[in-house]
Amino acid sequence: MNDNTFTPNTGTRAQSRTFNVLSVTRECGVTTDVEYAIINLTRTDAGLSAQINGQSAELERAVRLLRQAERVWLLDEVLLPVIGKPAARLLHIELGRLGYRTSASHYEVAAAVLGRDVTSLATLTVEEAVITRSFAYGQLSLPTGTVAA
């Protein structure tokens, strides 16, 4: 009976997301308890942190509640700003000048340094783009910006 549509990774990186969660407990097919909770997930320098009903909680517990909920509503989200297509185009050009000849190799460089799949440079944050650029130069033992600028 769980009609949960929660997906932990939507592909869109967010600074924070707040959910309203409906949990239903059933025994022998009979509803015995209904609870609502507000869950907030926030990205910090140390990783993700969680709050349940305004109280700090273990991330694993918050994600478990989200996954096992009867229903989940997204109440609010603060998305991380991304570099967009014009800046991504310039990064593609620069990576090409460094010798990374295909778009696929550009995504591989970004994925290697960021530790996650990258399917579009336009979705990188400014910080991730700077890290990717520096990593690409470093792989060639070059100071950032010396060859392809």
Side-chain angles (χ1 to χ4, degrees), residues 80-132:
L80 291 171
V82 295
I83 64 171
K85 290 183 179 181
R89 179 180 168 274
L90 295 176
L91 184 55
H92 274 293
I93 290 169
E94 188 169 8
L95 291 172
R97 288 180 181 157
L98 286 172
Y100 299 95
R101 295 290 176 214
T102 66
S103 291
S105 65
H106 302 173
Y107 305 137
E108 289 170 8
V109 168
V113 70
L114 300 174
R116 65 177 177 88
D117 287 340
V118 175
T119 57
S120 170
L121 296 183
T123 63
L124 299 180
T125 65
V126 171
E127 181 181 332
E128 290 173 334
V130 168
I131 291 169
T132 299

Side-chain angles (χ1 to χ4, degrees), residues 7-27:
T7 305
N9 182 1
T10 64
T12 305
R13 298 191 50 141
Q15 181 62 42
S16 68
R17 286 193 173 100
T18 303
F19 303 93
N20 188 6
V21 177
L22 168 64
S23 298
V24 177
T25 304
R26 292 184 179 85
E27 293 181 21

Side-chain angles (χ1 to χ4, degrees), residues 37-106:
I38 302 294
I39 297 177
N40 181 272
L41 302 177
T42 303
R43 188 176 309 280
T44 66
D45 291 337
L48 287 177
S49 68
Q51 287 187 337
I52 300 173
N53 295 326
Q55 303 292 319
S56 290
E58 292 181 7
L59 180 61
E60 295 78 21
R61 179 173 170 237
V63 171
R64 186 173 53 252
L65 280 173
L66 286 164
R67 288 183 185 208
Q68 294 175 349
E70 184 76 17
R71 186 114 192 239
V72 176
W73 298 270
L74 178 64
L75 297 178
D76 185 44
E77 68 181 342
V78 177
L79 299 178
L80 291 171
V82 295
I83 64 171
K85 290 183 179 181
R89 179 180 168 274
L90 295 176
L91 184 55
H92 274 293
I93 290 169
E94 188 169 8
L95 291 172
R97 288 180 181 157
L98 286 172
Y100 299 95
R101 295 290 176 214
T102 66
S103 291
S105 65
H106 302 173

